[in-house]
Amino acid sequence: MAHAHGRGGRYGKGLAALGAAAALAAGAAGTATAEGTEEAATPAGGARYVALGDSYTSGPGIPQQTGGDCARSSVNYPALTAKSLHQTSFKDVSCSGAKTDDMWRAQGDNPPQLNTLGTGTRLVTLGIGGNDIGFGDIIGTCAQLSATDPAGAPCRTKYTEGGADQLTARIAGAAPKVAQVLKDVHKRAPHARVVLVGYPAIMPEDGAGCFPAVPIAAGDVPYLRDTEKKLNTMLLGEARKAGVRFADTYKPTLGHDVCKPAADRWVEGAQPENPAAPFHPNARGEAAMATAVTTAARGR
């Protein structure tokens, strides 16, 4: 989710400043690994299961990496969902840095994600929206501001200057874009069951966070947590309007946020201790998301 768009800028400036070594390591994993584990050629009518999405879907930094700049993991939630549902015809086109616009346009050497869909597609999972609100820049900005006022809420102050919350406005602005993607998914894959996937719990559910290990000021922890909840609520609303399923990955990942010890953490912080990109799910996080996605796809 929190990546700068385009080639060579997979990790947003703020995140690069926070976890440069980790980001570079993850980036190297994403580009240096052979592409030999990619899925078989897509059938003419489209793969039966197609995964669309951003970096929270692709799993940057989690071995084994394929997809070049897209940084897809062999154990991301689409791969695990495909296995659980015994999907032999499966195509993961999720890509780090993807915004809703990238469903229709190429990202570097990667064709528009929606091009993978067809009349033969029976399941589509979609994880999108975080980059539309500028999640990477938000985290980077909040981290930089936290040094000036670790006990306060400098980030909230910045984004609510003038009385209106800019991040709430960005979420509202992203809603029609998500709706348009879902509309086009239906059009291109009319026989598919569609699952819109939410984002996992990043910040602790209570308390003031864990500054300086995770450089977010005490008052900004609840602010960022509430912003993410608003994003997930918007996604749930768009899923309902479009008549598609919603996979809630937030509730199942509570208690495994960036402030937990490495062994209990499913989303990494500024300096990942488990293989992952900064502020992104690790392998356990992707596995928990896969369980939620599989349940939603089965209709339970």
Side-chain angles (χ1 to χ4, degrees):
M1 170 157 84
H3 293 324
H5 175 68
R7 294 181 72 80
R10 209 166 61 234
Y11 295 90
K13 286 176 189 168
L15 291 189
L18 292 177
L24 287 170
T31 51
T33 312
E35 303 276 328
T37 54
E38 285 293 337
E39 302 83 14
T42 308
R48 284 185 69 81
Y49 169 29
V50 175
L52 313 170
D54 59 25
S55 56
Y56 272 60
T57 302
S58 67
I62 307 169
Q64 180 178 6
Q65 291 272 289
T66 61
D69 273 8
C70 286
R72 295 180 203 114
S73 170
S74 59
V75 291
N76 63 13
Y77 78 72
L80 299 176
T81 298
K83 200 173 174 182
S84 291
L85 298 175
H86 310 292
Q87 297 282 336
T88 49
S89 170
F90 160 58
K91 193 76 177 166
D92 178 6
V93 292
S94 63
C95 196
S96 291
K99 296 180 178 181
T100 48
D101 289 348
D102 295 308
M103 299 296 122
W104 294 277
R105 70 181 179 196
Q107 253 183 295
D109 296 334
N110 306 283
Q113 293 193 32
L114 286 168
N115 288 8
T116 321
L117 302 175
T119 52
T121 305
R122 291 294 182 273
L123 173 64
V124 178
T125 58
L126 169 67
I128 204 75
N131 290 321
D132 287 84
I133 70 164
F135 195 82
D137 288 336
I138 294 164
I139 289 281
T141 299
C142 294
Q144 285 161 357
L145 289 173
S146 69
T148 65
D149 186 12
C155 197
R156 185 182 67 205
T157 301
K158 176 187 164 60
Y159 287 116
T160 58
E161 216 170 7
D165 189 327
Q166 294 170 41
L167 303 189
T168 301
R170 287 185 196 180
I171 292 167
K177 296 178 179 181
V178 172
Q180 191 55 49
V181 175
L182 291 171
K183 192 176 175 184
D184 211 8
V185 167
H186 278 309
K187 190 174 157 189
R188 294 175 189 234
H191 309 301
R193 177 175 290 184
V194 180
V195 180
L196 185 61
V197 183
Y199 290 95
I202 303 167
M203 294 294 156
E205 193 62 6
D206 50 40
C210 49
F211 187 92
V214 174
I216 302 294
D220 286 333
V221 169
Y223 175 64
L224 290 180
R225 179 180 66 234
D226 291 348
T227 298
E228 191 195 350
K229 286 182 175 180
K230 286 176 189 174
L231 174 62
N232 278 331
T233 299
M234 178 275 279
L235 293 170
L236 170 62
E238 292 309 318
R240 283 178 174 160
K241 282 184 214 165
V244 306
R245 291 153 197 259
F246 180 73
D248 177 2
T249 63
Y250 191 92
K251 282 195 201 88
T253 53
L254 283 172
H256 300 280
D257 54 76
V258 294
C259 285
K260 293 298 179 284
D264 300 324
R265 191 185 309 141
W266 292 354
V267 176
E268 295 297 314
Q271 299 285 351
E273 293 179 75
N274 299 296
F279 292 96
H280 277 69
N282 57 32
R284 290 190 299 273
E286 289 286 339
M289 291 175 79
T291 302
V293 172
T294 302
T295 302
R298 285 184 170 140
R300 288 177 197 158

